[in-house]
Amino acid sequence: MTTTEHKPHTSPEIGGLGHSRRRVEDARFIEGRGNYVDDITLPGMLHMAIHRSPLAHARIISIDTSAAEAVDGVVAVVTGELLAGYNLAWMPTLSGDTQAVLATDKVRFQGQEIAAVIATDRYVAQDAARLVEVEYEDLEPIVNPQRALEEDAVLIRDDKEDQTSNLCFEWESGDKTATDEAFAKADKIVSLETHYPRSHPAPLETCGIVADVDSATGQATLYMTSQAPHAHRTVFALVAGLAEQNIRIVSPDLGGGFGNKVPVYPGYVVATAASLVIGQPVKWVETRTENLISTGFARDYYMKGELAVTNDGKILGLKVDMLADEGAFYADAQPSKFRAGLFHIVTGSYDYPAAYVTTRGAYTNKAPGGVAYRCSFRVTEASYLIERLVQNAAYELGLDPAEFRSSNFIQADQFPYHSPTGFVYDSGDYETAMRKAMDMVGYADIQAEKEQARKEGRLVGIGMASFTEVVGAGHGEDYDIIGLKMFDSAELRVHPTGKAILKLGVKSQGQGHETTFAQIVAEELGIPAGDVKVVEGDTDNTPYGLGTYASRSTPVAGAATAVISRKLREKAKKIAAHLLEASEEDLEWETGKFFVAGDPESSVSIQDIAFAAYTNPPPDLEAGLEGVHYYDPPNMTYPFGTYIVVVDVDPESGQWKVRRMIAVDDCGVKINPMIVEGQIQGGLTEGFAMSSMQHITFDETGNCLGSNFMDYLVPTAWETPRFELGETVTPSPHHPIGAKGVGESATVGSPAAYVNAVVDALQHMGVTNIEMPMSADRVWHAMQENSGG
Amino acid sequence: MYPSKFDYLAPETLEEALAVLAERGDEVKILAGGQSLIPMMKLRFAEPATLLDINRIPGLDAIDIQNGHVRVQALARHADVVRSAVIKEENDLMAGAAPWIADPIVRNLGTVCGSLAHHDPEGDWASVMLALDAEVVAVSKEGVTHFHPGADGTQHTGGTRVISIQDFLVDMFTTSLYPTELLTEVRVPRYERGGGNYQKLERKVGDYATVGVATHIELGDDDRITKAGIALTSVYAHNLKVTDAETALVGQAPSDELFAEAGRIASAACDPASDTRGSAEYKRHIVGLFTERSLAESLKIAQGGQS
Amino acid sequence: MNITVTVNGTAHTADVEPRLLLVDFIRTNLGLTGTHIGCDTTSCGVCTVLIDGTPVKTCTMFAVQANGRSVTTVEGLKQNGELSAIQQAFREHHGLQCGFCTPAMMLVGTALIEENPDPTEDDIRWAISGNLCRCTGYMNIVKSIEAAAETTREGASS
């Protein structure tokens, strides 16, 4: 597959693929008329606040709610004991584990939910929640996975009958024998041990729900911060025992998600149960602290990678061993079959015959999660490890990291490429993307400047990452979440006047679906994008889908939209033949109309066809121009690119600053280039955040040290680098419109580039690794340890 | 998160405010900018019974020159300092430090005096004022006996007290202010030929200092240092004035070696803790480095004729 | 306590608890939900409004403090049915994604342009550094404010 130029096929009035169409959704947001969960107020609505554990690990001796109940305005106090009466004290996680809704036996992480106060006012609810009194018996807090797996470590999950240790999962991929053989042939083994720190997606809108259960009819309407409303409806049906047809989940505007709004959280379940029992709507919206200490964390992988290489710069094989800190409940939102997500994409953009990946996860006394934070199920960790390893290998071999990459890249003519861990990469041209980025940054000049800078007492570094992502999970045979196959859907209705409504199973959190998915319909049917309304996030009004995360909206729901549009076009052709009194075989399609071959004057527009579909359908054809398609992706898509970072490091203080940040992305065919750019810029910022400041740590008692935005650092406009974007376009061969998805590439690919740049600046001192986030302190220590003082 | 309930009073005269303080100062928190107090109340670290909002008292927001001092009154916001022509003209250290305080929106409400009265050891203004040998002015209702709960038997009969900043800043979150007193201004001496500078290592805008170093020097006609101020943020139990380093500078001709020596003294004097911002060893190193850098910058300003 | 606050030109009188945060007064009492809440520590800035023209974080101010003052929220940006320059610029330059930080960003941008009609990129980045965005990487927010400043200057000179 070659890199191709893509120009729009349609006019700006139609606004199909490739147009930087201005966003439809902005109209409400710029007037402050977005409708987020906390903006919803229902008559008689009560407010919920949660009492949480201050301790990381302790046995609950008693819970006294009397003082809380006595507060004026309190309607009810819910405990786990009460929920147990409804069989709701525990719920399933998305990884097939169980999680306490409200703790009854033990608390297993600081911030765990113990009791919930329902009151007439949000302030009163919080007042009362503080008055719940819990008596504890302290247990040893397990605050890292290494300790968790020691023989004498206290058992965290003593609630599970078969659980005899804190081991949560073990999983492997690749071929051990072949890899051992490859390693035996190697001239050098380059290894790197590193920790991808615990992080949190922290969308600016926290999680929340307004649960409205009608006790008379049993109808439950749940306004929820949900990236996957249909899957959540099914989980609710399974957890709460409610009839699924009586559950309507509405996910309104979301103030960002980034994976945080994929899991089902205890607060949702308690608010729903409370509404059911009390018979009034109940609102629960997290505080920022609750968001950071209790809902879906990300990363926290301890990784050891070894790369077997020859002296002339060829990679022969890769071994990886990974230990995950999973927190108290194994709640990764990921395909069931893959216990460490898609971490085995760790072989990266390089061609070598053998790889062997072993993974384990351990329970610890920390919040559960393991969500795919702007990432396709642990691809971020994988990409980071291989791109760091490759740079270190180049140094060890005395080669330029770019040239080392180049001589090991999977070549453009090798696609579809079967990777040693079982992936089939769809298309790529890594060399071209890398050279483009190198040209943009002036690679040779920077390399030359490094020498000169050192003489002047300055430190300059240049680092690169040539990442490959794997997104759009995935084919139903291999990919499911709690048994639900990972298809997605689109329902398209073309109305008599030629206007259309498109209903999707996915859910935008800011990605601009209302704009971009209309463009796909415009491309395929020639209906102006402005005439296509896109509806998402209401399970009563959209077809079933698995939701938006792991960059799957464009690869899966986008494909579904293209396919249903094409199906309707086939039907439209029959109607056109009827209207033009021609045979179908004689008709040709040009954006927006069918015409008789050789007689362009004899044509009928899609709008006229739509009208006829309802007013004058052919006698042998069903009326209407509507349909739904469930798309089962035949494979995933593999976006890729090269990111290059240039940094200046202060040799005295360890402070570093990004001078240049170049990002060349290839996400296949772009639906809306403006939105693609916005996605990349956002992702690059999150990559910068993780590499420079953003992480959650715990002290030895399990006390969370990143529990608010004073301690969990999100970069502002002032620190954030200016990005320079470039592109190549290599369409996906199996996707109906050749698109690959882009929402997460930059988060996945960029952290290694930032770290590689700072390590590069210090490499002459012997520095081979600096852990993220690269605080000035860590950079300074790296220099001290390697420069002899 | 929400604060506990409290009574709210917003007097429109200083006399009224002082009367409230005289009556029940020990249960009152004064609300000026509220940018430290309200977050603490929301987290329920502070639960005052009464909030005394002084924002409606006129004539308390000046930044001006009075009796040889630059005066910053109780309701002058950080942003007012950033924008003040008087500060720009008169005091390089204050001008240099103001943009480092919190973030631009917080600066619109937060006050210099409030920050001093709060005395968070991670606050920047206290270091600035220690380096500048500032004084604060506290007033209380006259003719009433005021007791200080912290110091045994300490009392006075009200009126105006002028307190040196060193006497004012007692310990972290503790000042020598009586509960019945209102801090109405901070003032720093004017100088002829001098310069000042604030260096802050922060991880992002809005972060507290990992390390902050405030320096101020004045030069005589012979180009020797006639006065020096050095104070540190976030590296001791409270903001730390490094008197030894100041003494080492006074009377000397400025030089890189001299500033390096001052850096070494400051580095030895501090006692930072290891935390998520950095190791103690690193912070100590930064104190030395930033003291040196800050003094060099202050000198450059002083020599540039800026006063 | 009885307070009267002028919001977007309309005076609102209400009896409120002293501890009611201004952001909750705006959102709950007045139903103006374009002002958002994103943290507990005065860090994120999504609750920013203009008080007498100055940006203030309303999660760190009590409603009673706003008694007698004039507040502008995002709902007040549109004048006489016309989107303001900054609203148009945010849309034109893709200055928003999820929309949660957007009202605050637009208000801070408005105040900046009022004070400094020709801000540099650094001026803009500095001015919005008390406001977080998780989606955009700020580049298009900066571009939007630059463009709004330009439109405003052109409007003033024509």
Side-chain angles (χ1 to χ4, degrees):
Chain A
M1 188 66 53
T2 51
T3 297
T4 52
E5 278 293 316
H6 270 265
K7 293 218 165 64
H9 300 114
T10 56
S11 66
E13 291 70 38
I14 300 294
L17 303 183
H19 287 288
S20 287
R21 181 177 182 232
R22 297 303 181 259
R23 298 202 329 164
V24 175
E25 38 278 89
D26 290 1
R28 61 180 183 275
F29 292 137
I30 57 175
E31 292 198 39
R33 291 172 179 276
N35 186 37
Y36 304 91
V37 165
D38 198 15
D39 301 343
I40 294 166
T41 300
L42 300 178
M45 187 173 79
L46 302 171
H47 297 268
M48 184 173 102
I50 297 177
H51 179 90
R52 296 173 181 276
S53 171
L55 302 175
H57 200 190
R59 202 164 294 289
I60 296 173
I61 308 296
S62 66
I63 300 174
D64 182 356
T65 59
S66 55
E69 280 161 10
V71 173
D72 196 24
V74 169
V75 176
V77 180
V78 183
T79 60
E81 199 183 349
L82 198 106
L83 288 181
Y86 297 85
N87 203 22
L88 279 177
W90 291 80
M91 64 178 191
T93 71
L94 295 179
S95 270
D97 195 2
T98 50
Q99 175 174 355
V101 176
L102 293 176
T104 49
D105 55 340
K106 288 207 301 190
V107 289
R108 293 177 172 85
F109 67 92
Q110 185 193 54
Q112 189 178 340
E113 301 82 358
I114 296 175
V117 172
I118 320 293
T120 50
D121 174 281
R122 208 184 257 193
Y123 285 56
V124 172
Q126 278 199 11
D127 288 343
R130 296 167 54 81
L131 299 177
V132 173
E133 280 178 38
V134 185
E135 195 186 339
Y136 299 101
E137 176 195 324
D138 284 357
L139 295 168
E140 181 202 352
I142 309 277
V143 294
N144 63 63
Q146 292 82 7
R147 169 66 189 142
L149 296 184
E150 284 171 12
E151 282 282 312
D152 64 335
V154 57
L155 188 64
I156 295 169
R157 294 302 302 276
D158 53 353
D159 57 295
K160 295 174 78 174
E161 262 177 36
D162 302 331
Q163 191 76 32
T164 55
S165 76
N166 291 320
L167 185 71
C168 158
F169 71 82
E170 237 175 336
W171 193 80
E172 64 173 55
S173 175
D175 184 335
K176 183 175 189 306
T177 312
T179 308
D180 284 341
E181 282 167 13
F183 271 65
K185 282 184 244 160
D187 293 323
K188 276 198 169 75
I189 311 290
V190 180
S191 71
L192 175 70
E193 273 188 70
T194 188
H195 176 221
Y196 205 121
R198 178 171 280 235
S199 196
H200 193 286
L204 284 184
E205 179 206 28
T206 59
C207 300
I209 184 171
V210 177
D212 182 14
V213 187
D214 186 323
S215 51
T217 63
Q219 172 67 40
T221 306
L222 310 177
Y223 303 89
M224 256 170 73
T225 48
S226 172
Q227 293 178 228
H230 291 278
H232 285 170
R233 187 186 70 204
T234 302
V235 171
F236 264 86
L238 297 172
V239 173
L242 296 168
E244 198 166 356
Q245 80 278 16
N246 287 339
I247 307 171
R248 176 182 172 205
I249 291 187
V250 180
S251 183
D253 287 325
L254 296 182
F258 315 116
N260 188 213
K261 293 165 183 172
V262 173
V264 172
Y265 294 120
Y268 300 155
V269 177
V270 182
T272 305
S275 177
L276 174 69
V277 173
I278 298 167
Q280 283 172 262
V282 174
K283 176 187 277 190
W284 169 69
V285 176
E286 290 175 326
T287 64
R288 174 58 56 192
T289 295
E290 290 182 293
N291 178 251
L292 289 171
I293 67 173
S294 72
T295 62
F297 78 91
R299 324 290 190 238
D300 219 345
Y301 266 23
Y302 292 84
M303 306 178 286
K304 182 179 183 193
E306 292 176 290
L307 208 54
V309 292
T310 63
N311 284 332
D312 60 353
K314 287 304 267 186
I315 303 174
L316 300 177
L318 172 73
K319 278 186 196 170
V320 174
D321 185 43
M322 187 283 292
L323 175 60
D325 184 334
E326 290 290 347
F329 308 104
Y330 180 36
D332 288 39
Q334 66 191 6
S336 310
K337 188 170 170 181
F338 305 103
R339 302 284 75 191
L342 305 183
F343 181 68
H344 50 304
I345 192 78
V346 66
T347 57
S349 306
Y350 311 98
D351 175 30
Y352 42 91
Y356 182 53
V357 180
T358 50
T359 70
R360 286 170 306 156
Y363 288 116
T364 60
N365 291 117
K366 296 181 187 170
V371 299
Y373 163 26
R374 215 165 175 163
C375 156
S376 183
F377 312 123
R378 306 293 189 175
V379 177
T380 310
E381 292 90 325
S383 173
Y384 181 72
L385 181 63
I386 187 66
E387 287 304 310
R388 290 281 301 109
L389 257 179
V390 164
Q391 170 164 297
N392 279 11
Y395 291 151
E396 201 141 321
L397 293 168
L399 299 171
D400 179 283
E403 298 313 320
F404 179 67
R405 283 182 171 85
S406 176
S407 51
N408 288 286
F409 272 149
I410 300 164
Q411 299 299 305
D413 61 6
Q414 285 179 277
F415 293 92
Y417 175 81
H418 290 258
S419 89
T421 54
F423 291 97
V424 184
Y425 294 19
D426 60 347
S427 64
D429 184 350
Y430 303 154
E431 181 77 19
T432 302
M434 185 181 78
R435 296 293 167 194
K436 183 157 188 179
M438 290 167 74
D439 286 348
M440 284 173 69
V441 78
Y443 189 79
D445 293 346
I446 304 283
Q447 289 292 9
E449 186 199 336
K450 273 165 50 180
E451 296 291 323
Q452 182 57 31
R454 255 177 256 152
K455 286 180 197 146
E456 295 165 11
R458 293 186 293 123
L459 292 175
V460 177
I462 182 166
M464 176 185 288
S466 289
F467 67 94
T468 293
E469 254 229 289
V470 49
V471 307
H475 186 53
E477 194 176 322
D478 286 327
Y479 292 89
D480 71 87
I481 287 182
I482 55 164
L484 301 167
K485 302 292 187 188
M486 296 187 75
F487 60 84
D488 233 291
S489 60
E491 178 188 326
L492 182 59
R493 301 182 187 175
V494 184
H495 301 322
T497 56
K499 318 288 181 186
I501 184 167
L502 175 70
K503 301 180 169 199
L504 302 168
V506 290
K507 175 66 191 122
S508 177
Q509 310 125 46
Q511 294 92 334
H513 291 178
E514 289 166 55
T515 306
T516 52
F517 282 85
Q519 291 183 259
I520 300 175
V521 175
E523 179 79 14
E524 298 294 339
L525 283 179
I527 298 172
D531 290 348
V532 182
K533 177 161 102 179
V534 177
V535 174
E536 301 181 319
D538 180 344
T539 57
D540 268 9
N541 290 306
T542 54
Y544 205 99
L546 270 278
T548 294
Y549 42 88
S551 292
R552 59 190 303 284
S553 293
T554 293
V556 192
T561 300
V563 171
I564 191 59
S565 300
R566 288 173 192 179
K567 282 187 181 173
L568 294 194
R569 198 167 73 201
E570 283 310 304
K571 182 169 181 182
K573 192 176 189 181
K574 294 189 198 310
I575 300 168
H578 168 66
L579 295 175
L580 294 169
E581 296 175 346
S583 88
E584 266 187 74
E585 294 76 50
D586 293 337
L587 293 187
E588 287 188 19
W589 171 256
E590 185 187 300
T591 300
K593 64 181 181 191
F594 279 105
F595 63 94
V596 179
D599 181 12
E601 295 299 303
S602 294
S603 73
V604 57
S605 72
I606 187 71
Q607 287 79 8
D608 290 341
I609 294 168
F611 194 70
Y614 298 90
T615 58
N616 176 24
D620 54 346
L621 198 67
E622 276 181 75
L625 194 56
E626 302 185 351
V628 58
H629 182 75
Y630 294 80
Y631 185 81
D632 182 9
N635 186 10
M636 317 253 254
T637 58
Y638 296 75
F640 62 92
T642 290
Y643 297 155
I644 300 182
V645 172
V646 182
V647 294
D648 293 289
V649 181
D650 180 342
E652 293 180 310
S653 72
Q655 290 170 285
W656 54 278
K657 198 167 166 44
V658 174
R659 186 201 299 180
R660 305 273 306 277
M661 200 304 167
I662 313 291
V664 173
D665 273 277
D666 192 323
C667 60
V669 174
K670 295 178 186 181
I671 300 168
N672 182 320
M674 174 188 84
I675 286 179
V676 167
E677 276 195 12
Q679 290 292 307
I680 293 167
Q681 289 166 351
L684 293 173
T685 304
E686 303 214 34
F688 171 72
M690 284 182 284
S691 65
S692 63
M693 61 178 78
Q694 182 183 293
H695 69 146
I696 292 182
T697 56
F698 293 79
D699 69 14
E700 67 281 2
T701 66
N703 181 38
C704 178
L705 302 178
S707 63
N708 58 55
F709 279 158
M710 302 293 286
D711 298 316
Y712 186 69
L713 304 182
V714 172
T716 74
W718 191 248
E719 299 83 32
T720 301
R722 282 76 162 158
F723 309 117
E724 302 164 55
L725 307 189
E727 59 162 11
T728 60
V729 179
T730 309
S732 169
H734 65 77
H735 188 279
I737 59 169
K740 288 190 168 188
V742 74
E744 299 163 335
S745 292
T747 322
V748 168
S750 66
Y754 294 110
V755 177
N756 281 342
V758 176
V759 169
D760 184 63
L762 275 47
Q763 187 248 334
H764 62 285
M765 302 174 181
V767 173
T768 55
N769 188 35
I770 301 170
E771 292 290 310
M772 293 194 292
M774 297 183 293
S775 60
D777 165 70
R778 283 181 172 170
V779 174
W780 181 78
H781 277 287
M783 291 192 281
Q784 295 306 300
E785 282 152 22
N786 289 278
S787 64
Chain B
M1 291 187 189
Y2 307 114
S4 320
K5 294 184 184 192
F6 55 83
D7 287 336
Y8 173 81
L9 298 169
E12 295 188 359
T13 66
L14 187 58
E15 290 65 37
E16 272 181 82
L18 298 183
V20 171
L21 288 169
E23 193 186 310
R24 46 170 159 156
D26 50 359
E27 60 168 59
V28 169
K29 271 281 186 190
I30 290 163
L31 177 64
Q35 301 300 286
S36 297
L37 177 62
I38 297 175
M40 287 179 80
M41 289 173 68
K42 286 168 72 179
L43 297 167
R44 310 246 175 154
F45 295 151
E47 298 187 63
T50 302
L51 267 197
L52 182 65
D53 182 350
I54 59 170
N55 285 277
R56 289 173 201 279
I57 301 173
L60 265 186
D61 59 356
I63 298 175
D64 56 13
I65 295 166
Q66 291 268 323
N67 306 322
H69 285 80
V70 176
R71 175 177 81 155
V72 178
Q73 284 192 299
L75 290 175
R77 319 285 164 176
H78 308 304
D80 295 334
V81 179
V82 173
R83 294 191 182 97
S84 164
V86 170
I87 298 292
K88 207 165 285 166
E89 181 65 27
E90 291 283 332
N91 196 293
D92 310 297
L93 175 51
M94 285 173 68
W100 285 103
I101 310 299
D103 70 48
I105 317 294
V106 169
R107 286 200 291 274
N108 286 336
L109 277 190
T111 64
V112 179
C113 287
S115 167
L116 295 173
H118 182 51
H119 194 201
D120 186 327
E122 296 179 325
D124 301 296
W125 279 125
S127 295
V128 170
M129 297 307 164
L130 283 167
L132 291 170
D133 287 328
E135 295 167 338
V136 300
V137 176
V139 297
S140 55
K141 189 172 176 178
E142 285 189 75
V144 182
T145 307
H146 300 265
F147 297 96
H148 195 290
D152 255 358
T154 309
Q155 60 185 71
H156 73 99
T157 54
T160 300
R161 290 201 301 149
V162 177
I163 313 164
S164 79
I165 190 73
Q166 275 186 276
D167 290 341
F168 177 74
L169 301 170
V170 174
D171 206 342
M172 63 163 98
F173 301 108
T174 310
T175 68
S176 59
L177 208 61
Y178 283 53
T180 48
E181 278 180 318
L182 178 68
L183 177 60
T184 55
E185 69 179 63
V186 59
R187 61 197 196 191
V188 301
R190 300 179 75 187
Y191 52 87
E192 285 296 313
R193 194 170 165 230
N197 169 262
Y198 193 64
Q199 304 255 331
K200 182 174 179 179
L201 182 76
E202 62 177 16
R203 298 168 299 176
K204 56 166 285 195
V205 171
D207 191 17
Y208 284 109
T210 300
V211 173
V213 178
T215 70
H216 169 78
I217 56 174
E218 292 174 30
L219 300 177
D221 294 339
D222 57 357
D223 284 342
R224 286 178 181 270
I225 298 170
T226 55
K227 189 175 177 205
I230 300 175
L232 313 175
T233 311
S234 293
V235 289
Y236 203 78
H238 51 78
N239 301 73
L240 183 68
K241 185 173 173 71
V242 193
T243 317
D244 288 352
E246 294 173 352
T247 310
L249 293 175
V250 173
Q252 306 294 315
S255 69
D256 291 349
E257 296 72 42
L258 184 69
F259 291 165
E261 175 59 17
R264 279 190 290 276
I265 297 171
S267 182
C270 70
D271 184 19
S274 292
D275 58 21
T276 50
R277 290 195 175 83
S279 66
E281 184 193 4
Y282 175 69
K283 291 181 188 179
R284 199 180 278 282
H285 163 73
I286 292 296
V287 165
L289 178 68
F290 278 20
T291 300
E292 217 179 313
R293 284 184 180 178
S294 182
L295 284 167
E297 191 60 31
S298 294
L299 175 68
K300 210 192 302 173
I301 295 168
Q303 287 172 336
Q306 299 174 34
S307 63
Chain C
M1 184 181 166
N2 242 313
I3 59 168
T4 300
V5 185
T6 300
V7 180
N8 303 327
T10 306
H12 297 270
T13 300
D15 184 19
V16 300
E17 259 197 302
R19 68 168 173 164
L20 181 72
L21 296 167
L22 181 55
V23 68
D24 288 318
F25 176 73
I26 292 169
R27 288 178 51 80
T28 308
N29 296 50
L30 305 184
L32 296 171
T33 55
T35 304
H36 300 138
I37 301 171
C39 75
D40 321 313
T41 50
T42 329
S43 308
C44 78
V46 301
C47 64
T48 306
V49 305
L50 304 183
I51 298 188
D52 300 325
T54 301
V56 164
K57 295 184 181 181
T58 56
C59 72
T60 312
M61 183 166 176
F62 297 111
V64 289
Q65 291 178 268
N67 190 16
R69 320 258 320 247
S70 177
V71 173
T72 306
T73 70
V74 63
E75 290 90 348
L77 283 176
K78 193 173 173 179
Q79 295 284 325
N80 308 319
E82 285 272 306
L83 292 175
S84 70
I86 204 140
Q87 288 173 302
Q88 292 179 33
F90 267 72
R91 180 160 194 200
E92 184 58 29
H93 297 278
H94 190 27
L96 63 149
Q97 290 182 24
C98 81
F100 208 68
C101 75
T102 313
M105 289 288 186
M106 293 192 302
L107 289 163
V108 173
T110 301
L112 172 68
I113 294 168
E114 180 74 29
E115 185 179 343
N116 176 3
D118 193 5
T120 63
E121 176 175 356
D122 273 0
D123 292 338
I124 295 169
R125 285 182 177 262
W126 189 243
I128 62 172
S129 64
N131 297 79
L132 300 179
C133 170
R134 286 295 268 173
C135 299
T136 65
Y138 303 104
M139 287 191 70
N140 289 343
I141 293 177
V142 172
K143 219 190 274 179
S144 301
I145 295 174
E146 270 172 356
E150 200 183 325
T151 316
T152 308
R153 287 197 304 276
E154 283 166 4
S157 66
S158 65

